[in-house]
């Protein structure tokens, strides 16, 4: 019962995380007239404060010393921070400039781009269904490029930047909160410097927009950290296959908002391109679920075989004499004494003396 409750809680955490990521396009327009770069800088600065408080609550600080001493990992964190800043900044710009649908496409094709990077950079081998999904997604991008009159650059940059970020995170191998804290710490100084420069030149909207606007800019830290905290809670409670399915909630919500709330245009060629992407994702999901089910069956069979196998018997061990204590050869062994033969055989009669003959 406790396990089921944990899985149910994990499922709710996962839905909450991806739901918030999917509904975040409703938040960025509230920050206008702030530009995308100013919003991004506030997001970096305030996220560090929120994550620091979260780490203080859970008392996880030991990783800081290890990270500072590991130059390779610190370099990878810096690259990850630069990559995610490109992703964040472009996404904010896309939402506030009427490209919500195109942004959602970037996160739809992100799993497919991740697979492609795994093949190109890590030499991973794909199953036939995965190859088919990648080919269908490439055809979808071609259809969308024809429909747009140019490649869907926003979608492609979002997909490749986030896939690259995921690849770097895989090599860094840090927890979600720790990684976000390290990345925002790297970005904190340039972000704060940019905000101070805006204030010095009179172009900052933090105070010029009023108290409410300033609170909304500060809330970017919570908007960034809260979904990540929920995702971390979900990741330790539900299987990865479940998280893999939940990840499509975010682009589905974004697509729905773009079409139904922001009323972005969806000509037939765009519908065709999205239909191909959804077909590729359906094929990819089916293959992942089938493979996971097959692996579970195989693991159960191996466990049953191991349980049915007889336990190995331990052969008797002949005690080894202690050769460290050599016998004292200077003393002869006690041998049995030879019996007294006369006593053993009884008293034998004494033979008579021969008679002496008198010679005359």
């Amino acid at each position: 019962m406790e396990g089921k409750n944990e899985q149910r809680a994990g499922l709710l955490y996962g839905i909450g995380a991806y739901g918030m990521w999917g509904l975040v396009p409703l938040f960025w327009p509230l920050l206008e007239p702030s530009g995308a770069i100013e919003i991004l800088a506030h997001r970096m600065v305030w996220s560090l404060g929120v994550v620091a408080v979260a780490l203080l609550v859970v008392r996880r600080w030991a990783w800081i010393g290890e990270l500072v001493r590991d130059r390779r990992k610190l370099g990878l964190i810096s690259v990850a921070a630069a990559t995610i800043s490109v992703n964040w900044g472009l996404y904010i710009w896309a939402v506030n400039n009427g490209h919500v649908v195109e942004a959602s496409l970037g996160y739809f094709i992100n799993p497919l781009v991740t697979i492609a990077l795994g093949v190109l950079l890590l030499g991973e081998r794909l199953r036939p269904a995965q190859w088919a999904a990648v080919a269908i997604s490439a055809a979808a991008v071609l259809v969308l490029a024809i429909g747009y009159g140019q490649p869907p650059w926003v979608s492609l940059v979002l997909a490749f930047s986030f896939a690259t970020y995921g690849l770097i995170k895989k090599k860094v191998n840090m927890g979600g909160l720790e990684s976000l804290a390290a990345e925002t710490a790297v970005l904190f100084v340039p972000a704060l410097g940019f905000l101070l420069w805006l204030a010095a030149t009179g172009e900052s909207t933090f105070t010029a927009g009023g108290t409410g606007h300033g609170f909304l800019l500060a809330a970017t830290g919570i908007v960034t950290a809260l979904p990540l905290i929920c995702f971390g809670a979900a990741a330790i409670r539900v299987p990865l296959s479940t998280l893999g399915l939940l990840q499509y909630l975010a682009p589905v919500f974004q697509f729905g908002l773009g079409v139904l709330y922001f009323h972005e245009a969806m000509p037939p060629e765009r519908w065709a391109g999205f239909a191909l992407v959804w077909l590729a994702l359906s094929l990819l999901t089916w293959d992942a679920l089938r493979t996971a089910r097959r692996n579970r069956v195989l693991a159960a069979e191996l466990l049953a075989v191991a349980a049915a196998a007889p336990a190995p018997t331990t052969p008797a061990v002949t005690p080894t004499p202690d050769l460290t204590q050599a016998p004292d050869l200077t003393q002869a062994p006690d041998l049995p004494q030879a019996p007294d033969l006369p006593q053993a055989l009884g008293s034998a009669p004494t033979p008579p003396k021969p008679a002496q003959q008198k010679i005359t």
Side-chain angles (χ1 to χ4, degrees):
M1 181 63 69
E2 184 178 354
K4 291 183 178 180
N5 291 335
E6 284 292 307
Q7 287 195 355
R8 188 179 297 111
L11 186 62
L12 293 177
Y13 278 123
I15 293 174
Y18 286 108
M20 285 185 280
W21 280 325
L23 296 176
V24 77
L26 296 173
F27 178 73
W28 304 127
L30 300 178
L31 304 180
E32 294 178 341
S34 299
I37 303 301
E38 183 180 3
I39 296 173
L40 175 64
H42 276 286
R43 187 177 188 181
M44 295 172 181
V45 170
W46 295 107
S47 294
L48 179 59
V50 174
V51 174
V53 172
L55 289 175
L56 183 62
V57 171
V58 297
R59 298 180 180 180
R60 294 211 300 251
W61 300 102
W63 58 272
I64 297 178
E66 299 176 0
L67 177 61
V68 172
R69 291 189 295 269
D70 192 337
R71 294 184 178 181
R72 176 181 175 275
K73 184 176 287 190
L74 191 59
L76 289 174
I77 284 290
S78 301
V79 176
T83 305
I84 199 61
S85 65
V86 172
N87 184 273
W88 285 356
L90 180 59
Y91 182 72
I92 295 170
W93 177 89
V95 170
N96 287 351
N97 286 272
H99 296 279
V100 177
V101 171
E102 191 175 353
S104 72
L105 175 64
Y107 292 104
F108 271 125
I109 66 176
N110 173 66
L112 300 163
V113 173
T114 301
I115 291 175
L117 289 181
V119 173
L120 296 175
L121 300 180
L122 302 180
E124 295 179 354
R125 300 179 63 181
L126 300 185
R127 296 182 293 272
Q130 292 175 314
W131 277 116
V134 172
I136 293 172
S137 66
V141 171
L142 180 61
V143 170
L144 290 168
I146 295 174
Y148 279 108
Q150 61 180 1
W153 293 115
V154 171
S155 304
L156 293 175
V157 174
L158 286 176
F160 275 92
S161 61
F162 200 73
T164 303
Y165 174 72
L167 180 64
I168 298 172
K169 294 262 286 188
K170 182 178 180 180
K171 293 196 174 287
V172 171
N173 192 24
M174 291 178 62
L177 276 178
E178 293 86 344
S179 179
L180 181 61
E183 292 156 13
T184 51
V186 170
L187 298 170
F188 178 81
V189 173
L192 182 61
F194 177 74
L195 293 177
L196 292 176
W197 177 80
L198 286 179
T201 58
E203 298 181 6
S204 173
T205 64
F206 181 66
T207 56
T211 305
H213 184 72
F215 277 119
L216 285 176
L217 286 173
T220 55
I222 299 176
V223 171
T224 301
L226 186 57
L228 185 66
I229 294 172
C230 291
F231 174 81
I236 61 176
R237 289 175 171 86
V238 299
L240 288 178
S241 58
T242 304
L243 283 179
L245 294 175
L246 290 177
Q247 71 174 331
Y248 297 124
L249 285 178
V252 166
F253 286 171
Q254 294 166 10
F255 178 80
L257 287 174
V259 174
L260 301 176
Y261 182 80
F262 294 102
H263 303 291
E264 295 185 8
M266 282 294 293
E269 58 272 14
R270 187 175 292 186
W271 279 111
F274 269 88
L276 288 174
V277 170
W278 294 333
L279 175 61
L281 292 176
S282 300
L283 183 60
L284 189 66
T285 304
W286 168 79
D287 178 70
L289 293 176
R290 182 188 62 169
T291 304
R293 188 181 303 111
R294 183 182 303 167
N295 290 340
R296 286 197 299 269
V297 171
L298 180 60
E301 291 177 352
L302 292 177
L303 187 61
V305 170
T313 57
T314 304
V317 179
T318 303
T320 304
D322 189 359
L323 300 180
T324 60
Q325 297 181 358
D328 189 359
L329 300 179
T330 60
Q331 297 181 1
D334 294 334
L335 297 178
Q337 295 180 355
D340 189 356
L341 293 178
Q343 293 179 1
L345 298 176
S347 298
T350 303
K353 295 180 178 181
Q356 295 181 0
Q357 293 181 359
K358 186 178 179 180
I359 299 175
T360 57

